[in-house]
Structure formats: structure tokens, C-alpha cells
Amino acid sequence: MRSRSYLFLLLVLGLALLSGLGYNVRKYNLGLDIQGGVRLVYEMDVSKLTTDQRQDIATMRQQILHTLTQRVNGEFGTTEGTVNQKGDYQFIIELPGFTDIDAAMKMLGTSARIEFYGARTVVSPRNSYARYEVEKDDKSTDPAVSFRLRTGGGDLISYMIPDPADPKHRQMRNPKYDEIVKSWGEPILAGNDLADAQIDLNMSTPRPLMKFSSEGSVKMEKWSRANPQGNIAAVLDGKVLSLNPVAPDTVLKDNAVINGTMDAEYVKSLVELLKSGALPVDLKIQSQETVDPTIGKVALDKIIFAGAIAFGVISLFMVVYYAFPGIIAVVALTLYVLFTLTVLKLINATFSLAAIAGFILSVGMAVDANILIFERFKEEEKKGRGLEKAIELGFSRALPAIIDSNSCTILTSFVLMQLGTGPVKGFATTLVIGVFISLFTAVFVTRSLLVFAFGSGLATNEKWYAINRNWFGEKFEAHADTDPLPVVQKSKRWFMISLLTIIPGLIFVGIGGLKPNVEFLGGSEITYSVRDANVSSTTIAAKLESANMKGGNVKFGSGKDGEKIAYITLPPTAGLKGLQESQIKEKISTATGLDQADYKGYTEIGPTVQKETLRNAIMGVIVSSILIIVFLAIRFGVSLGNFVAGLRFGVSAIIALVHDILVVIGLAAIVGYLVGWEVSALFITAMLTIIGFSVHDTIVIFDRIRENLRRPQQGETFEHLVNRSITRSFARSINTSMTVIVTLAIIFFAGTATPDLKFFVFAMLVGILSGTYSSIYNASPILYLWDKAIEKKKGRAATLVGLAIAEAQKAQVISTRPVSVADPVVDKAKQYGQVRRRASDAGKKRTDDEE
């Protein structure tokens, strides 16, 4: 063992060195909610596509993705901007550090289809009696050409006009303007007829120079020869940028200059837009968001501070409670942090606030495996094993529960990765990577360091292992075999307690306390800093009502130096849709009295994103529950030789989980009613995380039930077996949950600056507290009562004990070892996945070490 221990130590040191080198390869990729910037979600408008075009939708998606990426990298001058496809028709664009959302939408949302028309209905040297004439709109800074009727006067026909629904703030396309463009017939050339765009510096002021393809050149030459001195109009997405007659004796062919009232910056942007290429289909904005970087910086500082405190508290607990193994666990935990951060940086994962919270949570969860191992080690040591044997058995016998429980967290995280976007996907990615690495560090690193410490002779004193330190329920284990906790006999009491915790929350759900945010209802969220400490959420909400913006909700977060940040949520009926950001600031500030200078950011969610968020939330809960049921049915059904019997474990776990979900929903309604917190996509993320983690503790107990079914006491009833399993698992259930609960509590009180993040952490904290209770007092009693009902209906052979006996008898037929009623079940494997004991050993007397 001594030589092997040194080898293990070298492996751990080598991995730590490689991680240290990999850590410095690249910088952190901070999320938009930390850096600040713009996030836009666009959707392809497929309503106007022909049948042939729909069949080529995959090529269109790739062309759109390429074009949008070109625009992001070209116009915004940054490779940090990202364009990602979501589903079949949506694209998510993030521009860190860019704050002008109106400019971003103009550049990215336009189809950039430049078309050249023969403007035959506009006065020209060729036709002085045409219906319309060009007129400059001196009040507008838009380069669009305006028109007026040549005879009879009339109003100026501009590209945009005030919207009758909100003329002070909103603008709309002028239908009369569109009629003028439509009167010119088919364009001379468009789309692929444009080969390139450049800035023409040969003129007194910069102008866009269009270069045509060979086919486009032929079309343009043919038209200009047939229409000498005719008007040619350059039209971009329905807006006439330039309209001029062709000079006498001039034949246009392979290029043309767009004239008009355009400043240098506009010309530059237009050229970059045209160079990136036209979109093959129009894009519709579904969601827009601008984030102030100062809020993100404050939130980042807070959550890192909370994470450091949580790491220190967990480390202190491990050292104080588990002594030398605790020190080993802290070293392994430190390496876990290094390994995880290195992997996340190498895959260029986005460190959003939610992802960082997920990482800190994973640190708390990473200790769980160590606690399960150390508690099992202490149990084996108390049975009289030597240190070396107890260490080996502690790892091998805790491994099934570790793998099964973490598998459920991984399953729910994968569901989140598939259904979530932005912060939700970042949280799930961080958590699933963290769980995989925590399994590695707990099973390999912790074991390697312990084996080295013992095998090298450095830690052979039993006093260093705090075997008799029993602060959290381990004292019950001493009487587990003879006098276990009477849990299942008092199941009605536990179910009544569960019901009493659910009812108050359901009452608040009924009176409207559960408040979905804009992600579920659609609408807008506007963020302001509030200088006046006396301004309350009810004051702002009342002013919004007075301004006819009904249905609003106001909640507060914290900013720099304790600054109050107001998050104002308004439904789609508030009349903000279609307004530019500057108009939104003006409208909200006028209504609430908040200073426009204190404006921090804006989010708008359209109906498509809203419906998708709601659908994904429901699908996430359903799919996660089904996956967990099937997984547990397979895992527990294999040991019983009966998949249907395994379903009892899976379904019992999910039924107990319903209690946790209802408790969290109820408390969400209570805090929603009292302080205005809203249910967001992050809240649903918390719910799915609870589903994975709540089952975690349940599996620890169920795994002990499965183990005891293999080795029941003589004449033991299932009631006694379940109570004995709960009693043996009581301390480790409390300890594993406690580390996560402490971590979440620290983040909640010291590390959350935004209401959504605080609600997210609060939901998980409540859910895991509830899950710890339901794992002990709901899940196992449900399993017992179900088994009791089966026995009454089908007899003892159909019960879990009966199935275990039958499975053991099958195994003994194969191994030729006789089975007695007193010892009905022989473990088919010494360890997780180990081969059955040979038949030649059948006559040997079993010892505790062989079991």
C-alpha cells in the first residue's frame, strides 16, 4: 500500500500542476449581466416564404447566422459579441459593453436589402408632370427622402409618422410612403445583384459606392439606356436613401453612388451593413434588453464575497467535525475549485451571476460526497474494522449512493441546458461540470490523499479521525439495529406537518401572490436607481396607475454603496412596445417622477419568447421527473430483479418531491404578495435544481434500504428495515444538506444584489430545507405504505422483501450455496459492480469484512 500511496500523490500533484497551467490560458468570459450591454432575440419571419424556400430553411439559417456575425464583428468592432442560434428560427445576439440598443436594433434587425428602382412617378427632367416631387424634411435627421404631391399641395409624406395610439412617443411606417415606392413597380436590381460596397472618398463628402455583380451590371446598363435622365432611387428596406436623375449622356453599368443627406458615421454604418450581406428573410424582434454595467459590477463583488465566506465556513466545519479527514476534504475542495474554474475557462463558459451562484452552490454540493464517505467510514470503524479496512469500505459502500444521487442532479441540469437560454444555460452548464468534477475529486483525490497519508505512516492514529464525534444524529445509529427511529409508524403525523406547511402558501397563491414576470407574461422591465430613500414600491406603482400604465409591479434591489435600485415591471398593455429607449425613459420618468439620469436598463419580452419560456418551464419539470423515475426504477429494479418494483422507489421519491415543489410555490406566493418578488426563468431553474437535489437525500436513504434488503435481520419486517435504514442515514442526510443550506444562506444574505437572483437563491434554500424533511419523513413512509398495500392485495411475495428473497434465491441457485430463511439474501457483489463470490467459497463462514 505504501508504494501505491506515493503513486496516488504524484497523480494528484500532476493534475493540480496541469490545472494551474491551464487556468492562465484565457480570461474569464463574463456574462452580460456583469459587463453590461445589449441582448437581442430575433425570430425569422417565415410567413412570407414560398414552399421552395421553406424546404431550404437550413441554408437560410446558416446565411442569417453568418450575416449577423459579420455585422456584430464589423459594425460593433468586437469579437466579444456573440450570435447564437436557438431552436429552428431564433437568434440570440449579445453585445457586451454596448449600450445604444436602438442603434444595435437598426443595424442588426434590418434585412439590408438594397434595391434600385426607376422612380417613374416622381418629377424628373424626363417627366416634369409626374404625380410626386422630392422635398427635404428640414425637421428630420433621418436621411430618408420625403415627398409631396406635385399638385394640390398636401402634407409632407415622410417615411415615419407619429402613431395615433401614442403620438408623443411612438412612430410608425407611413403607409402613403410605402404606396409611392410600390408605384415604381419591380426593382431594377436587388439582393445578389450587389457584389460589394465601399466608401467613395473622391467626392466632397463620403458617399456609399455600390458595385454590382455581372448580372446586376447587365440589368443596370439595360435600364439606363432605355431611360435616359430617368430617376433612379436607392431603397433600403423600404426607405428611400437617394433619388436623383441620371446625368445626361450617362450609362450606368457596374457601379453607382448613393447621394443624399448622410453624415460620415451613417455612411460608414451603411457600408458595413451592406458588406455583411442581405438577410434572406425578415427578422422580427422578440426580446430586447439593455443592462447597466454598474449594477453587474456590484452584484459580482457581492457574490464573490459571499462565495469566499461560504468556502471558509464549509472548510471550518469539515476540519472541526471530521478532524484529519476534514483537512483532506478541504485540500480536495480547493483542488475542486481549481479544476472546475480551469475547465470552465478552457471551454469559454460564460460567467453570469447565475452561473457564479451555481458554481458556489456546486462547492457546497462537492462536500456532500466526502461527508457520505466519512460517515460510512466512521460507521465501519465503529464495527471494529481497522483504519485501513474502514477507509476502503467507507469509499466502496458510499459510492452507490454518491453516483445515484449525483446522477439525478446531472439529469435535471441537462434538461436545463436543453431548455434554457442565457443565465439559465450558464447555471446548468456550471452545475453539471461541477458535479462531474466533484465526483472525481471526492472519489479519486480524497481517496488518494487518505491512502497516501495512511500508507506512508503519516496518519495512523485513530484519534485523528474523530470517530466518536456525534453532533448531528449519529447517536441514533448506535441503536439503529435494535431501537431505530419510529418514522413509518408515525407517517400520519409527518404528512399532517407537510400539509400544514403547504396550506398557507396555497392561500396566498389564491389571492394573487404568485407574480409571473415579463418572461412569462410578456411586457417590459425598466430599471432605475432611486435617490430618495422614502420612495416605496407602492408609491411608484400608484403613479404608474395614474398615468394609465396599469398592472405594474415594483421591486427593489441594491446597488453601489447601498443604493436602491427599482425594477419596474409593466405588462404589454402599458403601451411601451415599439418605443425607442430614449422614449421609454421619457415616458416612465414623466409618469413616476424618477430622473432620466438615473435610468439603468430596459428589457422587453415579446409573445413568442413568453410562450416559449412558459412551455419550457412546464416541460422541464415534467421531463426531469420522468427521467428521475426511470433512472431510479432501473437502478433499484436491477437489484430486485423487477423493473416495476423499482418504479416504487422512483415514484415514491417524486411524490415526496411534490411536497417540496408546493412548499416553494407557496412561499413564492407569500413573498410575491408581501415584497413584490416575481417568478422568472431563474425561479424555474431553482425548481429544477431542487428536483435534482431533493431526490439526492432521498436516494441516500433508499440506497440504504436497498442494501439492507440484501442483508435483513432475522425475521425483520419491512417496517423495521425502513426505520433502521432511516436511522443509519439520518446524520449524513442532515450533514450533506447543511453544507448546501449554509452556502445558500450566505449567498442570500450577503451575495445577491438583484431581486431575481435573491429570489432564485431563496427558492433553492427553501426547497432544500423542505427536501431534507421530505426525504426523511415523506419519501420512505410513502414507499412503506405502498409496499404494505401491495402485500394486502398480492401477498408477501410481491413485496420488496419478498422480491429481494426471490432474487437472492436465484443467485444462490447459480452459486450453489443454500439459502436459509434466517439469512435470505446474500449480497451479489462485495462492492458496487463487483463479481459474485465464487461457488468454491460457498462453504466458508461469512465474516463482516466479506459482506
Side-chain angles (χ1 to χ4, degrees):
M1 185 173 184
R2 186 182 297 269
S3 60
R4 188 176 62 168
S5 67
Y6 282 102
L7 176 61
F8 283 161
L9 180 64
L10 287 175
L11 286 172
V12 172
L13 291 175
L15 286 171
L17 179 62
L18 287 174
S19 294
L21 293 173
Y23 180 82
N24 294 313
V25 168
R26 64 171 70 191
K27 299 186 298 183
Y28 289 110
N29 178 23
L30 297 178
L32 202 70
D33 54 354
I34 296 174
Q35 294 188 71
V38 167
R39 180 187 288 117
L40 302 169
V41 178
Y42 282 103
E43 184 173 69
M44 298 166 59
D45 184 0
V46 297
S47 61
K48 300 177 183 178
L49 297 182
T50 64
T51 303
D52 292 339
Q53 287 174 321
R54 288 176 185 271
Q55 291 176 351
D56 199 28
I57 199 75
T59 303
M60 285 187 175
R61 281 198 300 265
Q62 289 302 313
Q63 185 178 343
I64 291 171
L65 193 64
H66 173 75
T67 300
L68 291 175
T69 302
Q70 290 288 99
R71 291 180 184 180
V72 166
N73 294 339
E75 172 61 20
F76 301 103
T78 174
T79 56
E80 293 181 359
T82 59
V83 182
N84 293 301
Q85 182 182 327
K86 179 191 172 190
D88 291 332
Y89 304 117
Q90 289 188 354
F91 300 88
I92 302 172
I93 303 164
E94 293 190 348
L95 303 171
F98 193 83
T99 56
D100 191 343
I101 194 169
D102 295 332
M105 291 173 66
K106 286 179 181 178
M107 175 58 65
L108 296 168
T110 177
S111 64
R113 281 194 292 271
I114 189 77
E115 300 171 321
F116 288 87
Y117 286 86
R120 60 194 181 202
T121 61
V122 180
V123 171
S124 68
R126 179 185 173 90
N127 181 8
S128 58
Y129 297 102
R131 179 175 175 79
Y132 302 102
E133 58 185 0
V134 172
E135 184 160 330
K136 172 62 179 171
D137 184 0
D138 295 325
K139 297 179 180 179
S140 174
T141 57
D142 195 313
V145 173
S146 298
F147 303 94
R148 195 185 296 273
L149 287 170
R150 182 182 60 82
T151 59
D155 295 333
L156 189 71
I157 305 174
S158 300
Y159 177 64
M160 300 293 288
I161 59 174
D163 188 340
D166 190 359
K168 184 178 178 182
H169 298 98
R170 203 190 307 273
Q171 295 273 307
M172 60 177 284
R173 284 272 293 269
N174 188 346
K176 292 182 179 180
Y177 194 95
D178 293 336
E179 288 175 8
I180 293 174
V181 175
K182 190 180 291 185
S183 70
W184 300 337
E186 293 297 317
I188 303 166
L189 50 83
N192 294 332
D193 295 325
L194 178 67
D196 193 16
Q198 297 176 358
I199 299 176
D200 187 355
L201 300 175
N202 294 323
M203 307 183 73
S204 57
T205 56
R207 289 289 178 267
L209 172 63
M210 307 290 101
K211 293 189 175 182
F212 308 128
S213 65
S214 55
E215 290 184 8
S217 297
V218 171
K219 294 177 183 178
M220 183 59 74
E221 181 180 6
K222 182 179 178 181
W223 179 86
S224 61
R225 288 186 184 279
N227 297 276
Q229 292 187 286
N231 282 334
I232 184 166
V235 182
L236 179 69
D237 294 339
K239 179 192 292 187
V240 182
L241 300 180
S242 166
L243 194 155
N244 294 286
V246 178
D249 303 321
T250 299
V251 175
L252 300 177
K253 188 175 181 182
D254 56 2
N255 63 73
V257 173
I258 298 179
N259 289 310
T261 308
M262 294 176 277
D263 60 32
E265 280 300 314
Y266 183 86
V267 172
K268 178 179 178 295
S269 296
L270 179 60
V271 168
E272 289 287 351
L273 183 64
L274 296 175
K275 284 172 71 70
S276 69
L279 296 174
V281 62
D282 289 336
L283 296 180
K284 298 184 294 184
I285 187 71
Q286 297 298 328
S287 170
Q288 52 186 295
E289 180 179 5
T290 177
V291 183
D292 184 81
T294 57
I295 296 176
K297 181 65 171 62
V298 171
L300 177 63
D301 292 342
K302 281 193 169 188
I303 202 166
I304 290 176
F305 175 70
I309 294 175
F311 184 88
V313 170
I314 291 171
S315 299
L316 182 63
F317 166 74
M318 295 300 291
V319 172
V320 170
Y321 194 67
Y322 292 106
F324 180 73
I327 295 173
I328 296 294
V330 172
V331 174
L333 193 61
T334 304
L335 291 175
Y336 163 79
V337 172
L338 176 61
F339 294 161
T340 306
L341 289 177
T342 300
V343 170
L344 291 172
K345 288 178 76 173
L346 289 177
I347 67 171
N348 201 32
T350 301
F351 284 82
S352 64
L353 291 173
I356 295 170
F359 169 68
I360 296 171
L361 176 62
S362 74
V363 173
M365 294 173 68
V367 182
D368 291 355
N370 287 297
I371 290 174
L372 291 174
I373 291 166
F374 295 162
E375 288 293 335
R376 194 61 192 251
F377 156 75
K378 287 165 64 177
E379 181 182 336
E380 300 300 331
E381 180 66 21
K382 289 174 184 177
K383 289 180 180 179
R385 311 283 201 262
L387 274 178
E388 181 179 355
K389 189 65 178 179
I391 290 172
E392 289 295 326
L393 289 175
F395 277 93
S396 63
R397 291 185 173 174
L399 189 58
I402 293 171
I403 291 177
D404 291 347
S405 58
N406 281 284
S407 295
C408 291
T409 302
I410 290 169
L411 286 174
T412 54
S413 296
F414 275 128
V415 172
L416 281 170
M417 289 171 67
Q418 293 300 314
L419 298 178
T421 59
V424 173
K425 190 181 288 288
F427 170 83
T429 303
T430 304
L431 191 59
V432 75
I433 289 173
V435 170
F436 274 117
I437 295 176
S438 71
L439 283 171
F440 171 77
T441 54
V443 175
F444 179 77
V445 175
T446 303
R447 181 171 184 162
S448 298
L449 293 174
L450 270 178
V451 167
F452 167 76
F454 182 84
S456 62
L458 294 176
T460 56
N461 190 336
E462 288 192 7
K463 293 181 180 179
W464 290 14
Y465 292 82
I467 294 165
N468 296 316
R469 196 159 290 166
N470 304 320
W471 297 349
F472 301 101
E474 290 92 340
K475 63 181 180 180
F476 299 134
E477 295 182 13
H479 309 289
D481 294 339
T482 57
D483 187 24
L485 294 169
V487 176
V488 296
Q489 298 96 313
K490 301 178 180 180
S491 55
K492 290 182 179 178
R493 176 189 296 179
W494 315 131
F495 295 158
M496 183 59 66
I497 292 173
S498 295
L499 187 62
L500 290 175
T501 60
I502 292 170
I503 289 175
L506 295 182
I507 292 172
F508 276 87
V509 171
I511 61 176
L514 203 63
K515 298 181 183 295
N517 80 337
V518 293
E519 292 168 298
F520 291 98
L521 295 178
S524 308
E525 182 176 88
I526 307 96
T527 310
Y528 278 83
S529 63
V530 179
R531 301 181 187 182
D532 187 352
N534 295 320
V535 172
S536 66
S537 57
T538 53
T539 303
I540 297 175
K543 290 182 177 180
L544 290 170
E545 288 278 341
S546 300
N548 204 31
M549 285 186 274
K550 302 182 183 301
N553 182 58
V554 182
K555 53 188 182 291
F556 286 106
S558 59
K560 188 177 181 181
D561 299 326
E563 175 187 32
K564 286 174 66 175
I565 305 294
Y567 294 82
I568 303 169
T569 304
L570 290 165
T573 54
L576 299 183
K577 186 173 178 59
L579 298 186
Q580 293 186 349
E581 191 172 19
S582 58
Q583 296 169 325
I584 291 169
K585 283 193 284 186
E586 179 190 347
K587 191 166 185 175
I588 297 297
S589 295
T590 302
T592 62
L594 298 172
D595 195 327
Q596 287 193 49
D598 295 328
Y599 170 85
K600 293 293 184 182
Y602 166 69
T603 302
E604 181 181 298
I605 301 292
T608 301
V609 174
Q610 168 247 321
K611 290 177 183 177
E612 183 182 32
T613 303
L614 182 60
R615 182 180 67 249
N616 287 349
I618 296 170
M619 284 294 297
V621 173
I622 294 172
V623 171
S624 296
S625 300
I626 292 173
L627 288 175
I628 288 172
I629 289 173
V630 173
F631 174 77
L632 294 182
I634 294 171
R635 285 292 298 118
F636 288 89
V638 166
S639 65
L640 295 170
N642 190 312
F643 176 81
V644 176
L647 279 174
R648 298 180 205 171
F649 287 92
V651 174
S652 295
I654 295 300
I655 292 174
L657 186 61
V658 171
H659 161 266
D660 307 330
I661 292 174
L662 290 177
V663 167
V664 174
I665 290 175
L667 281 171
I670 292 172
V671 296
Y673 185 86
L674 296 177
V675 296
W677 286 357
E678 296 172 323
V679 174
S680 66
L682 276 180
F683 176 84
I684 302 302
T685 303
M687 294 290 289
L688 294 179
T689 306
I690 290 165
I691 288 175
F693 194 83
S694 179
V695 175
H696 183 284
D697 274 348
T698 303
I699 289 175
V700 171
I701 296 174
F702 279 4
D703 190 75
R704 183 54 71 99
I705 292 174
R706 175 177 58 182
E707 182 179 328
N708 287 336
L709 281 169
R710 294 187 185 129
R711 307 181 188 89
Q713 296 174 351
Q714 185 173 0
E716 185 175 34
T717 64
F718 189 56
E719 175 186 285
H720 188 275
L721 187 146
V722 171
N723 284 337
R724 181 161 64 93
S725 302
I726 293 172
T727 306
R728 284 287 185 192
S729 308
F730 191 87
R732 57 211 70 184
S733 293
I734 298 297
N735 288 358
T736 53
S737 295
M738 185 172 59
T739 56
V740 180
I741 289 168
V742 168
T743 301
L744 289 170
I746 291 170
I747 298 175
F748 178 79
F749 289 108
T752 49
T754 65
D756 282 350
L757 190 61
K758 189 176 285 291
F759 198 7
F760 165 67
V761 175
F762 174 77
M764 285 199 292
L765 178 59
V766 171
I768 291 172
L769 278 167
S770 175
T772 304
Y773 173 85
S774 66
S775 297
I776 298 172
Y777 295 105
N778 286 349
S780 297
I782 290 170
L783 180 66
Y784 164 73
L785 292 173
W786 190 345
D787 196 70
K788 190 176 179 181
I790 295 267
E791 181 179 12
K792 186 177 292 186
K793 184 177 182 179
K794 297 183 178 181
R796 181 174 170 78
T799 65
L800 293 175
V801 171
L803 292 170
I805 291 172
E807 184 66 13
Q809 288 173 341
K810 290 179 185 177
Q812 299 319 304
V813 170
I814 295 172
S815 66
T816 70
R817 183 177 187 273
V819 180
S820 67
V821 177
D823 185 17
V825 185
V826 176
D827 190 2
K828 291 187 286 183
K830 180 182 175 184
Q831 296 182 17
Y832 189 82
Q834 192 176 359
V835 181
R836 292 190 185 97
R837 198 179 323 124
R838 295 177 182 176
S840 59
D841 293 333
K844 296 180 181 179
K845 182 180 179 181
R846 291 187 301 164
T847 67
D848 285 343
D849 287 355
E850 290 174 322
E851 288 181 348

